[in-house]
């Protein structure tokens, strides 16, 4: 009887562990996406989050020295991918991509005083017909939905104002379909 109880316990523990690893990340991201939608963060548009203070923080320890801009994406609504542009960085900055399971699948550094252009593409999109701009980096999304997070150093109110100005040049928008044979040509 003890052997059966032990085996039952191990199978139950293994099943609980597996379910937690398989379902929890997706549930966490789904809840985060719902919360962002409730706060008015649309798909395919960067939104600069207000400067973190003890009065407005929504996570336990957001970095008060960073400014965050968020773009939610849904590639079922952008079948040719997204054009993602970060305006010029005013200091240390990065662009991170997270899938529907909370996995970080790409992180790119932004050089100071430089913009960064990225094409976020679904894995199913074939290279034919994609704009191949020399200054663009191609990133493949492993899931149809997720988040893009821009982090910029902004330790002071003045620096946050500089980030706010730079963020007006941020872009996260669907790539429009191109005519066959026009890949690599300017618009």
């Amino acid at each position: 009887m003890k052997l059966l109880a032990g085996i039952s316990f191990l199978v139950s523990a293994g099943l609980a562990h597996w379910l937690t690893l398989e379902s929890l990340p997706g549930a966490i991201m789904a809840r985060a996406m719902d919360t962002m939608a409730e706060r008015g963060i649309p798909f395919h548009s960067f939104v600069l989050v207000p400067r973190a203070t003890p009065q407005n923080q929504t996570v336990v320890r957001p970095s008060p020295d960073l400014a965050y801009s968020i773009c939610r994406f849904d590639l079922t609504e952008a079948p040719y991918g997204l054009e993602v542009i970060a305006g010029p960085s005013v200091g240390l900055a990065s662009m991170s991509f997270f899938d529907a399971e909370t996995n970080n699948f790409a992180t790119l550094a932004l050089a100071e005083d430089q913009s960064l252009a990225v094409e976020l593409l679904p894995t199913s999109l074939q290279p034919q017909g994609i704009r191949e701009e020399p200054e663009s980096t191609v990133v493949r999304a492993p899931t149809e939905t997720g988040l893009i997070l821009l982090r910029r150093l902004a330790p002071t109110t003045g620096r946050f104002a500089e980030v706010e100005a730079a963020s007006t040049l941020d872009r996260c928008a669907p790539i429009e379909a191109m005519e066959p044979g026009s890949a690599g040509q300017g618009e």
Side-chain angles (χ1 to χ4, degrees):
M1 190 65 171
K2 287 183 181 183
L3 180 62
L4 185 57
I7 291 172
S8 178
F9 172 77
L10 289 175
V11 168
S12 297
L15 182 59
H17 178 75
W18 180 80
L19 285 173
T20 299
L21 293 178
E22 289 298 313
S23 63
L24 194 57
I28 289 170
M29 183 61 90
R31 180 65 188 128
M33 295 285 263
D34 290 345
T35 299
M36 286 180 227
E38 291 166 6
R39 292 186 178 162
I41 298 176
F43 281 111
H44 311 142
S45 180
F46 274 111
V47 173
L48 179 64
V49 177
R51 190 160 188 240
T53 66
Q55 293 77 31
N56 72 3
Q57 68 187 39
T58 57
V59 295
V60 178
R61 306 251 326 151
S63 175
D65 291 343
L66 295 176
Y68 300 93
S69 292
I70 300 169
C71 174
R72 298 185 315 137
F73 69 84
D74 182 351
L75 295 176
T76 63
E77 300 296 323
Y80 299 102
L82 294 176
E83 176 184 41
V84 183
I85 298 173
S89 172
V90 293
L92 296 175
S94 67
M95 181 186 294
S96 297
F97 298 82
F98 297 89
D99 69 11
E101 301 294 320
T102 71
N103 297 306
N104 174 236
F105 62 90
T107 297
L108 306 168
L110 280 75
E112 190 157 357
D113 297 325
Q114 298 284 318
S115 293
L116 177 63
V118 175
E119 290 183 16
L120 179 64
L121 304 176
T123 56
S124 61
L125 189 62
Q126 297 301 314
Q128 295 80 22
I130 298 172
R131 277 191 294 204
E132 293 291 345
E133 303 291 336
E135 65 275 0
S136 285
T137 298
V138 174
V139 172
R140 297 272 181 183
T143 60
E144 293 176 330
T145 60
L147 298 173
I148 304 165
L149 183 63
L150 289 175
R151 295 181 192 96
R152 293 179 169 111
L153 187 61
T156 65
T157 303
R159 186 69 109 159
F160 189 86
E162 291 174 8
V163 167
E164 197 169 23
S167 74
T168 63
L169 300 174
D170 296 344
R171 180 171 166 79
C172 182
I175 295 172
E176 299 298 321
M178 295 182 62
E179 296 297 321
S182 64
Q185 298 176 8
E187 293 183 322

